[in-house]
Amino acid sequence: MTAHRPVAPVENLPPGTWVSAWAPEGFPEVRPGDDLATLVGDAVAAGSTAALAEGDVVVVTSKIVSKAEGRVVCAADREQAITDETVRVVATRERPDGLPPLRIVENRLGLVMAAAGVDASNTPEGTVLLLPHDPDASARALRAALRARFGLDRLGVVVTDTAGRTWRDGLTDIAIGAAGVDVLDDLRGGVDAHGRPLSVTVTAVADEIAAASELVRGKADGRPVAVVRGLARHVRAGDGPEADGAGARTLVRPSADDLFREGSAEAYARGLADGRAGAPA
Amino acid sequence: MTAHRPVAPVENLPPGTWVSAWAPEGFPEVRPGDDLATLVGDAVAAGSTAALAEGDVVVVTSKIVSKAEGRVVCAADREQAITDETVRVVATRERPDGLPPLRIVENRLGLVMAAAGVDASNTPEGTVLLLPHDPDASARALRAALRARFGLDRLGVVVTDTAGRTWRDGLTDIAIGAAGVDVLDDLRGGVDAHGRPLSVTVTAVADEIAAASELVRGKADGRPVAVVRGLARHVRAGDGPEADGAGARTLVRPSADDLFREGSAEAYARGLADGRAGAPA
């Protein structure tokens, strides 16, 4: 087997012009109560304390965070688990063959996801996995432990999940937890090469890191951890709330501000009922 | 100035466990009629024909594609340009200070975007830029020219744009054109480490490549091209339609299938009007 090695910087390129990512193989099955920071640290270290460098971002799937935190419930209760995680039903779609309807809901974390983010793949038979209770807190804890173990000042952590999107087929990974990373890169006030205000203003950096990490991790082959190097400009140094940052919760748009807070069919049906009931104009 | 160099592979790591990306500096301003393949080739080559390798993906912003293709119109016509690009209005939001309403629309390409993707940043004063006429065709042409210039068989091209999302703040880059890349990675039929069917089935690989490229390109500093290495499993070899692939158009979900095909307020208003008019149940 080829030895695991730290992500090599792309040599002879100026800082800020390259990014590299690496996902160690052979990550062990995670069980409730496991110390996630130890498992992640061991995986990226592979016998070396130079495995992580200043400015790195460690990306982990929410699945391994949930498993370590014991967020497993019986699969017999899957629909109930979805209901329990639901704050607000956003849209539903009937499914064939007597399956319960697909529910797209806003969950406890403010995330709008199919099945509330309740996961039935890559879990032991008869169980489903809930999202971590507080993925930003999980990211902060992992960041603190990895900074201590590797003696680093500037380190970021992102916790990912896989989500569908409106209007586009296919799933991408998004950031549901973060620490030590600027989750949004606010370019407002900046100007373009012509001196005109930039109309593209706020980039969801943490979501792009999550997407990039999925490319290197893949889905099916036991590589739930990635190290992303080359983004030190987005990574914070030091201890405390200021260094941890606001977390991925910042990426959640409040539903009151969202033009798509409710499914089209659901909104139409509500309007139709109100119209029939003689709602005032 | 540090010399531009090809993206170095991450050494001593097994294939499939790393990805690296590089965005050359100093890309020239693109003008209508410029040969984009020559400009992109020169930028990534930097004097070396080894700048691109088998399995690489070359990512370019739609902005430079549009500029080379002369998709510039007068800024005085911006609202008219948005109207002209619009196939269907999806949602609108009033804006303060007498600005015209923000229009989220489905455009000619099937993309649901604010302002139809009409861009007013990084363009000469008094002009706006439309999206490329056919970004998949642009990607195919760029792929053919770069394969010929660098003598490569296996090469991918992705054309990106920056888009907002429902439910989440911040923008990410998505793929609006593609050639030689599997834009979707269909894992249906696969099983997880427990032998259970994978519930996460179809990954939007090209969108994740676009997002990763944005991390290394940034927005404001003249680096509209990135080379992504390490994803050869998603990159096709050879000539012809089969090798070019279905393109990024495949990522567009038909609006009839979308639970959010219409803004919540618009759908509600339509229902309300129908209800008042006595629409049948």
PDB file of all heavy atoms in Angstrom, chain A residues 246-277:
ATOM      1  N   ALA A 246     -18.279  32.673  12.959  1.00  0.00           N
ATOM      2  CA  ALA A 246     -19.718  32.574  13.195  1.00  0.00           C
ATOM      3  C   ALA A 246     -20.273  31.198  12.878  1.00  0.00           C
ATOM      4  O   ALA A 246     -21.391  30.870  13.279  1.00  0.00           O
ATOM      5  CB  ALA A 246     -20.438  33.625  12.365  1.00  0.00           C
ATOM      6  N   GLY A 247     -19.517  30.405  12.155  1.00  0.00           N
ATOM      7  CA  GLY A 247     -19.972  29.057  11.851  1.00  0.00           C
ATOM      8  C   GLY A 247     -20.854  28.996  10.629  1.00  0.00           C
ATOM      9  O   GLY A 247     -21.242  30.014  10.036  1.00  0.00           O
ATOM     10  N   ALA A 248     -21.173  27.743  10.253  1.00  0.00           N
ATOM     11  CA  ALA A 248     -21.952  27.513   9.036  1.00  0.00           C
ATOM     12  C   ALA A 248     -23.398  27.945   9.194  1.00  0.00           C
ATOM     13  O   ALA A 248     -24.110  28.109   8.195  1.00  0.00           O
ATOM     14  CB  ALA A 248     -21.877  26.040   8.647  1.00  0.00           C
ATOM     15  N   ARG A 249     -23.846  28.117  10.423  1.00  0.00           N
ATOM     16  CA  ARG A 249     -25.207  28.603  10.639  1.00  0.00           C
ATOM     17  C   ARG A 249     -25.449  29.925   9.896  1.00  0.00           C
ATOM     18  O   ARG A 249     -26.560  30.222   9.463  1.00  0.00           O
ATOM     19  CB  ARG A 249     -25.443  28.782  12.149  1.00  0.00           C
ATOM     20  CG  ARG A 249     -26.844  29.196  12.527  1.00  0.00           C
ATOM     21  CD  ARG A 249     -27.793  28.009  12.526  1.00  0.00           C
ATOM     22  NE  ARG A 249     -29.187  28.412  12.567  1.00  0.00           N
ATOM     23  CZ  ARG A 249     -30.169  27.695  13.096  1.00  0.00           C
ATOM     24  NH1 ARG A 249     -29.912  26.500  13.619  1.00  0.00           N
ATOM     25  NH2 ARG A 249     -31.396  28.112  13.075  1.00  0.00           N
ATOM     26  N   THR A 250     -24.373  30.705   9.741  1.00  0.00           N
ATOM     27  CA  THR A 250     -24.435  31.975   9.020  1.00  0.00           C
ATOM     28  C   THR A 250     -24.896  31.797   7.576  1.00  0.00           C
ATOM     29  O   THR A 250     -25.420  32.716   6.962  1.00  0.00           O
ATOM     30  CB  THR A 250     -23.038  32.623   9.021  1.00  0.00           C
ATOM     31  OG1 THR A 250     -22.519  32.578  10.336  1.00  0.00           O
ATOM     32  CG2 THR A 250     -23.079  34.058   8.536  1.00  0.00           C
ATOM     33  N   LEU A 251     -24.653  30.620   7.017  1.00  0.00           N
ATOM     34  CA  LEU A 251     -25.012  30.379   5.610  1.00  0.00           C
ATOM     35  C   LEU A 251     -26.504  30.131   5.428  1.00  0.00           C
ATOM     36  O   LEU A 251     -26.993  30.131   4.292  1.00  0.00           O
ATOM     37  CB  LEU A 251     -24.234  29.170   5.074  1.00  0.00           C
ATOM     38  CG  LEU A 251     -22.725  29.381   4.934  1.00  0.00           C
ATOM     39  CD1 LEU A 251     -22.019  28.045   4.733  1.00  0.00           C
ATOM     40  CD2 LEU A 251     -22.430  30.311   3.764  1.00  0.00           C
ATOM     41  N   VAL A 252     -27.199  29.871   6.537  1.00  0.00           N
ATOM     42  CA  VAL A 252     -28.633  29.602   6.437  1.00  0.00           C
ATOM     43  C   VAL A 252     -29.384  30.917   6.284  1.00  0.00           C
ATOM     44  O   VAL A 252     -29.302  31.793   7.145  1.00  0.00           O
ATOM     45  CB  VAL A 252     -29.127  28.844   7.683  1.00  0.00           C
ATOM     46  CG1 VAL A 252     -30.647  28.681   7.646  1.00  0.00           C
ATOM     47  CG2 VAL A 252     -28.433  27.492   7.789  1.00  0.00           C
ATOM     48  N   ARG A 253     -30.091  31.062   5.182  1.00  0.00           N
ATOM     49  CA  ARG A 253     -30.902  32.262   4.978  1.00  0.00           C
ATOM     50  C   ARG A 253     -32.195  32.128   5.770  1.00  0.00           C
ATOM     51  O   ARG A 253     -32.886  31.105   5.642  1.00  0.00           O
ATOM     52  CB  ARG A 253     -31.208  32.444   3.501  1.00  0.00           C
ATOM     53  CG  ARG A 253     -32.020  33.705   3.199  1.00  0.00           C
ATOM     54  CD  ARG A 253     -32.346  33.808   1.716  1.00  0.00           C
ATOM     55  NE  ARG A 253     -31.137  33.902   0.936  1.00  0.00           N
ATOM     56  CZ  ARG A 253     -30.989  33.372  -0.276  1.00  0.00           C
ATOM     57  NH1 ARG A 253     -31.953  32.693  -0.826  1.00  0.00           N
ATOM     58  NH2 ARG A 253     -29.841  33.496  -0.916  1.00  0.00           N
ATOM     59  N   PRO A 254     -32.546  33.129   6.572  1.00  0.00           N
ATOM     60  CA  PRO A 254     -33.809  33.041   7.318  1.00  0.00           C
ATOM     61  C   PRO A 254     -34.966  32.857   6.338  1.00  0.00           C
ATOM     62  O   PRO A 254     -35.024  33.516   5.294  1.00  0.00           O
ATOM     63  CB  PRO A 254     -33.889  34.394   8.037  1.00  0.00           C
ATOM     64  CG  PRO A 254     -32.472  34.886   8.099  1.00  0.00           C
ATOM     65  CD  PRO A 254     -31.804  34.365   6.867  1.00  0.00           C
ATOM     66  N   SER A 255     -35.882  31.949   6.661  1.00  0.00           N
ATOM     67  CA  SER A 255     -36.927  31.605   5.695  1.00  0.00           C
ATOM     68  C   SER A 255     -37.788  32.811   5.339  1.00  0.00           C
ATOM     69  O   SER A 255     -38.296  32.908   4.226  1.00  0.00           O
ATOM     70  CB  SER A 255     -37.779  30.452   6.211  1.00  0.00           C
ATOM     71  OG  SER A 255     -38.394  30.798   7.424  1.00  0.00           O
ATOM     72  N   ALA A 256     -37.924  33.765   6.266  1.00  0.00           N
ATOM     73  CA  ALA A 256     -38.733  34.945   5.956  1.00  0.00           C
ATOM     74  C   ALA A 256     -38.132  35.744   4.809  1.00  0.00           C
ATOM     75  O   ALA A 256     -38.839  36.462   4.101  1.00  0.00           O
ATOM     76  CB  ALA A 256     -38.866  35.827   7.195  1.00  0.00           C
ATOM     77  N   ASP A 257     -36.818  35.635   4.615  1.00  0.00           N
ATOM     78  CA  ASP A 257     -36.139  36.378   3.548  1.00  0.00           C
ATOM     79  C   ASP A 257     -36.096  35.611   2.236  1.00  0.00           C
ATOM     80  O   ASP A 257     -35.561  36.123   1.247  1.00  0.00           O
ATOM     81  CB  ASP A 257     -34.684  36.679   3.952  1.00  0.00           C
ATOM     82  CG  ASP A 257     -34.600  37.586   5.152  1.00  0.00           C
ATOM     83  OD1 ASP A 257     -35.619  38.213   5.488  1.00  0.00           O
ATOM     84  OD2 ASP A 257     -33.511  37.655   5.752  1.00  0.00           O
ATOM     85  N   ASP A 258     -36.600  34.398   2.211  1.00  0.00           N
ATOM     86  CA  ASP A 258     -36.380  33.553   1.041  1.00  0.00           C
ATOM     87  C   ASP A 258     -37.587  33.584   0.114  1.00  0.00           C
ATOM     88  O   ASP A 258     -38.722  33.362   0.554  1.00  0.00           O
ATOM     89  CB  ASP A 258     -36.083  32.116   1.481  1.00  0.00           C
ATOM     90  CG  ASP A 258     -35.383  31.348   0.383  1.00  0.00           C
ATOM     91  OD1 ASP A 258     -36.009  31.071  -0.658  1.00  0.00           O
ATOM     92  OD2 ASP A 258     -34.189  31.057   0.555  1.00  0.00           O
ATOM     93  N   LEU A 259     -37.333  33.838  -1.145  1.00  0.00           N
ATOM     94  CA  LEU A 259     -38.418  33.907  -2.138  1.00  0.00           C
ATOM     95  C   LEU A 259     -39.001  32.517  -2.412  1.00  0.00           C
ATOM     96  O   LEU A 259     -40.025  32.400  -3.067  1.00  0.00           O
ATOM     97  CB  LEU A 259     -37.905  34.519  -3.436  1.00  0.00           C
ATOM     98  CG  LEU A 259     -37.386  35.958  -3.345  1.00  0.00           C
ATOM     99  CD1 LEU A 259     -36.878  36.422  -4.705  1.00  0.00           C
ATOM    100  CD2 LEU A 259     -38.476  36.900  -2.843  1.00  0.00           C
ATOM    101  N   PHE A 260     -38.347  31.476  -1.919  1.00  0.00           N
ATOM    102  CA  PHE A 260     -38.800  30.100  -2.142  1.00  0.00           C
ATOM    103  C   PHE A 260     -38.978  29.382  -0.806  1.00  0.00           C
ATOM    104  O   PHE A 260     -38.629  28.220  -0.659  1.00  0.00           O
ATOM    105  CB  PHE A 260     -37.809  29.386  -3.068  1.00  0.00           C
ATOM    106  CG  PHE A 260     -37.692  30.076  -4.399  1.00  0.00           C
ATOM    107  CD1 PHE A 260     -36.768  31.092  -4.588  1.00  0.00           C
ATOM    108  CD2 PHE A 260     -38.545  29.746  -5.433  1.00  0.00           C
ATOM    109  CE1 PHE A 260     -36.693  31.766  -5.799  1.00  0.00           C
ATOM    110  CE2 PHE A 260     -38.473  30.405  -6.650  1.00  0.00           C
ATOM    111  CZ  PHE A 260     -37.546  31.418  -6.836  1.00  0.00           C
ATOM    112  N   ARG A 261     -39.550  30.111   0.135  1.00  0.00           N
ATOM    113  CA  ARG A 261     -39.680  29.558   1.482  1.00  0.00           C
ATOM    114  C   ARG A 261     -40.690  28.422   1.526  1.00  0.00           C
ATOM    115  O   ARG A 261     -40.713  27.653   2.482  1.00  0.00           O
ATOM    116  CB  ARG A 261     -40.072  30.661   2.468  1.00  0.00           C
ATOM    117  CG  ARG A 261     -41.509  31.146   2.356  1.00  0.00           C
ATOM    118  CD  ARG A 261     -41.778  32.352   3.233  1.00  0.00           C
ATOM    119  NE  ARG A 261     -41.172  33.544   2.685  1.00  0.00           N
ATOM    120  CZ  ARG A 261     -41.761  34.338   1.757  1.00  0.00           C
ATOM    121  NH1 ARG A 261     -42.961  34.055   1.305  1.00  0.00           N
ATOM    122  NH2 ARG A 261     -41.147  35.399   1.302  1.00  0.00           N
ATOM    123  N   GLU A 262     -41.523  28.312   0.498  1.00  0.00           N
ATOM    124  CA  GLU A 262     -42.616  27.348   0.472  1.00  0.00           C
ATOM    125  C   GLU A 262     -42.662  26.767  -0.937  1.00  0.00           C
ATOM    126  O   GLU A 262     -42.448  27.497  -1.915  1.00  0.00           O
ATOM    127  CB  GLU A 262     -43.915  28.119   0.774  1.00  0.00           C
ATOM    128  CG  GLU A 262     -45.156  27.294   0.982  1.00  0.00           C
ATOM    129  CD  GLU A 262     -46.344  28.192   1.370  1.00  0.00           C
ATOM    130  OE1 GLU A 262     -46.283  29.413   1.135  1.00  0.00           O
ATOM    131  OE2 GLU A 262     -47.338  27.645   1.879  1.00  0.00           O
ATOM    132  N   GLY A 263     -42.937  25.468  -1.064  1.00  0.00           N
ATOM    133  CA  GLY A 263     -43.055  24.863  -2.379  1.00  0.00           C
ATOM    134  C   GLY A 263     -44.121  25.547  -3.216  1.00  0.00           C
ATOM    135  O   GLY A 263     -45.105  26.070  -2.682  1.00  0.00           O
ATOM    136  N   SER A 264     -43.934  25.518  -4.543  1.00  0.00           N
ATOM    137  CA  SER A 264     -44.865  26.212  -5.433  1.00  0.00           C
ATOM    138  C   SER A 264     -46.275  25.656  -5.270  1.00  0.00           C
ATOM    139  O   SER A 264     -47.253  26.418  -5.189  1.00  0.00           O
ATOM    140  CB  SER A 264     -44.402  26.065  -6.882  1.00  0.00           C
ATOM    141  OG  SER A 264     -43.075  26.509  -7.033  1.00  0.00           O
ATOM    142  N   ALA A 265     -46.410  24.340  -5.226  1.00  0.00           N
ATOM    143  CA  ALA A 265     -47.744  23.733  -5.118  1.00  0.00           C
ATOM    144  C   ALA A 265     -48.381  24.064  -3.770  1.00  0.00           C
ATOM    145  O   ALA A 265     -49.585  24.354  -3.687  1.00  0.00           O
ATOM    146  CB  ALA A 265     -47.638  22.223  -5.298  1.00  0.00           C
ATOM    147  N   GLU A 266     -47.577  24.066  -2.714  1.00  0.00           N
ATOM    148  CA  GLU A 266     -48.096  24.363  -1.383  1.00  0.00           C
ATOM    149  C   GLU A 266     -48.557  25.816  -1.291  1.00  0.00           C
ATOM    150  O   GLU A 266     -49.605  26.122  -0.707  1.00  0.00           O
ATOM    151  CB  GLU A 266     -47.022  24.077  -0.325  1.00  0.00           C
ATOM    152  CG  GLU A 266     -46.770  22.608  -0.035  1.00  0.00           C
ATOM    153  CD  GLU A 266     -45.962  21.886  -1.100  1.00  0.00           C
ATOM    154  OE1 GLU A 266     -45.434  22.543  -2.026  1.00  0.00           O
ATOM    155  OE2 GLU A 266     -45.859  20.638  -1.026  1.00  0.00           O
ATOM    156  N   ALA A 267     -47.763  26.721  -1.870  1.00  0.00           N
ATOM    157  CA  ALA A 267     -48.139  28.133  -1.828  1.00  0.00           C
ATOM    158  C   ALA A 267     -49.390  28.379  -2.658  1.00  0.00           C
ATOM    159  O   ALA A 267     -50.302  29.123  -2.243  1.00  0.00           O
ATOM    160  CB  ALA A 267     -46.976  28.997  -2.340  1.00  0.00           C
ATOM    161  N   TYR A 268     -49.455  27.733  -3.820  1.00  0.00           N
ATOM    162  CA  TYR A 268     -50.643  27.871  -4.662  1.00  0.00           C
ATOM    163  C   TYR A 268     -51.873  27.365  -3.911  1.00  0.00           C
ATOM    164  O   TYR A 268     -52.931  28.021  -3.902  1.00  0.00           O
ATOM    165  CB  TYR A 268     -50.454  27.116  -5.979  1.00  0.00           C
ATOM    166  CG  TYR A 268     -51.680  27.174  -6.864  1.00  0.00           C
ATOM    167  CD1 TYR A 268     -51.914  28.260  -7.691  1.00  0.00           C
ATOM    168  CD2 TYR A 268     -52.622  26.141  -6.841  1.00  0.00           C
ATOM    169  CE1 TYR A 268     -53.049  28.329  -8.489  1.00  0.00           C
ATOM    170  CE2 TYR A 268     -53.765  26.198  -7.626  1.00  0.00           C
ATOM    171  CZ  TYR A 268     -53.975  27.292  -8.450  1.00  0.00           C
ATOM    172  OH  TYR A 268     -55.100  27.358  -9.222  1.00  0.00           O
ATOM    173  N   ALA A 269     -51.769  26.209  -3.291  1.00  0.00           N
ATOM    174  CA  ALA A 269     -52.912  25.616  -2.586  1.00  0.00           C
ATOM    175  C   ALA A 269     -53.375  26.511  -1.439  1.00  0.00           C
ATOM    176  O   ALA A 269     -54.578  26.669  -1.192  1.00  0.00           O
ATOM    177  CB  ALA A 269     -52.538  24.229  -2.057  1.00  0.00           C
ATOM    178  N   ARG A 270     -52.453  27.107  -0.748  1.00  0.00           N
ATOM    179  CA  ARG A 270     -52.801  28.008   0.348  1.00  0.00           C
ATOM    180  C   ARG A 270     -53.531  29.232  -0.198  1.00  0.00           C
ATOM    181  O   ARG A 270     -54.546  29.679   0.359  1.00  0.00           O
ATOM    182  CB  ARG A 270     -51.532  28.401   1.106  1.00  0.00           C
ATOM    183  CG  ARG A 270     -51.734  28.933   2.493  1.00  0.00           C
ATOM    184  CD  ARG A 270     -50.424  28.934   3.298  1.00  0.00           C
ATOM    185  NE  ARG A 270     -49.324  29.591   2.594  1.00  0.00           N
ATOM    186  CZ  ARG A 270     -49.142  30.916   2.531  1.00  0.00           C
ATOM    187  NH1 ARG A 270     -49.987  31.725   3.141  1.00  0.00           N
ATOM    188  NH2 ARG A 270     -48.115  31.437   1.874  1.00  0.00           N
ATOM    189  N   GLY A 271     -53.013  29.768  -1.320  1.00  0.00           N
ATOM    190  CA  GLY A 271     -53.686  30.906  -1.945  1.00  0.00           C
ATOM    191  C   GLY A 271     -55.081  30.549  -2.416  1.00  0.00           C
ATOM    192  O   GLY A 271     -56.040  31.306  -2.216  1.00  0.00           O
ATOM    193  N   LEU A 272     -55.189  29.377  -3.025  1.00  0.00           N
ATOM    194  CA  LEU A 272     -56.492  28.939  -3.536  1.00  0.00           C
ATOM    195  C   LEU A 272     -57.505  28.849  -2.392  1.00  0.00           C
ATOM    196  O   LEU A 272     -58.641  29.328  -2.501  1.00  0.00           O
ATOM    197  CB  LEU A 272     -56.330  27.586  -4.228  1.00  0.00           C
ATOM    198  CG  LEU A 272     -57.504  27.078  -5.063  1.00  0.00           C
ATOM    199  CD1 LEU A 272     -57.712  27.956  -6.301  1.00  0.00           C
ATOM    200  CD2 LEU A 272     -57.263  25.629  -5.489  1.00  0.00           C
ATOM    201  N   ALA A 273     -57.086  28.247  -1.288  1.00  0.00           N
ATOM    202  CA  ALA A 273     -57.989  28.110  -0.137  1.00  0.00           C
ATOM    203  C   ALA A 273     -58.377  29.480   0.408  1.00  0.00           C
ATOM    204  O   ALA A 273     -59.548  29.738   0.711  1.00  0.00           O
ATOM    205  CB  ALA A 273     -57.316  27.262   0.948  1.00  0.00           C
ATOM    206  N   ASP A 274     -57.392  30.365   0.512  1.00  0.00           N
ATOM    207  CA  ASP A 274     -57.693  31.707   1.014  1.00  0.00           C
ATOM    208  C   ASP A 274     -58.635  32.441   0.067  1.00  0.00           C
ATOM    209  O   ASP A 274     -59.546  33.160   0.509  1.00  0.00           O
ATOM    210  CB  ASP A 274     -56.400  32.514   1.187  1.00  0.00           C
ATOM    211  CG  ASP A 274     -55.621  32.108   2.427  1.00  0.00           C
ATOM    212  OD1 ASP A 274     -56.123  31.244   3.193  1.00  0.00           O
ATOM    213  OD2 ASP A 274     -54.511  32.629   2.631  1.00  0.00           O
ATOM    214  N   GLY A 275     -58.416  32.268  -1.246  1.00  0.00           N
ATOM    215  CA  GLY A 275     -59.277  32.928  -2.223  1.00  0.00           C
ATOM    216  C   GLY A 275     -60.709  32.438  -2.136  1.00  0.00           C
ATOM    217  O   GLY A 275     -61.660  33.227  -2.181  1.00  0.00           O
ATOM    218  N   ARG A 276     -60.856  31.145  -1.994  1.00  0.00           N
ATOM    219  CA  ARG A 276     -62.209  30.585  -1.871  1.00  0.00           C
ATOM    220  C   ARG A 276     -62.888  31.037  -0.593  1.00  0.00           C
ATOM    221  O   ARG A 276     -64.108  31.182  -0.541  1.00  0.00           O
ATOM    222  CB  ARG A 276     -62.143  29.056  -1.888  1.00  0.00           C
ATOM    223  CG  ARG A 276     -61.846  28.512  -3.273  1.00  0.00           C
ATOM    224  CD  ARG A 276     -61.797  27.002  -3.214  1.00  0.00           C
ATOM    225  NE  ARG A 276     -61.574  26.472  -4.547  1.00  0.00           N
ATOM    226  CZ  ARG A 276     -60.870  25.383  -4.795  1.00  0.00           C
ATOM    227  NH1 ARG A 276     -60.319  24.701  -3.800  1.00  0.00           N
ATOM    228  NH2 ARG A 276     -60.718  24.960  -6.016  1.00  0.00           N
ATOM    229  N   ALA A 277     -62.082  31.213   0.456  1.00  0.00           N
ATOM    230  CA  ALA A 277     -62.648  31.623   1.738  1.00  0.00           C
ATOM    231  C   ALA A 277     -62.933  33.128   1.770  1.00  0.00           C
ATOM    232  O   ALA A 277     -63.374  33.662   2.785  1.00  0.00           O
ATOM    233  CB  ALA A 277     -61.701  31.240   2.872  1.00  0.00           C
TER     234      ALA A 277
END
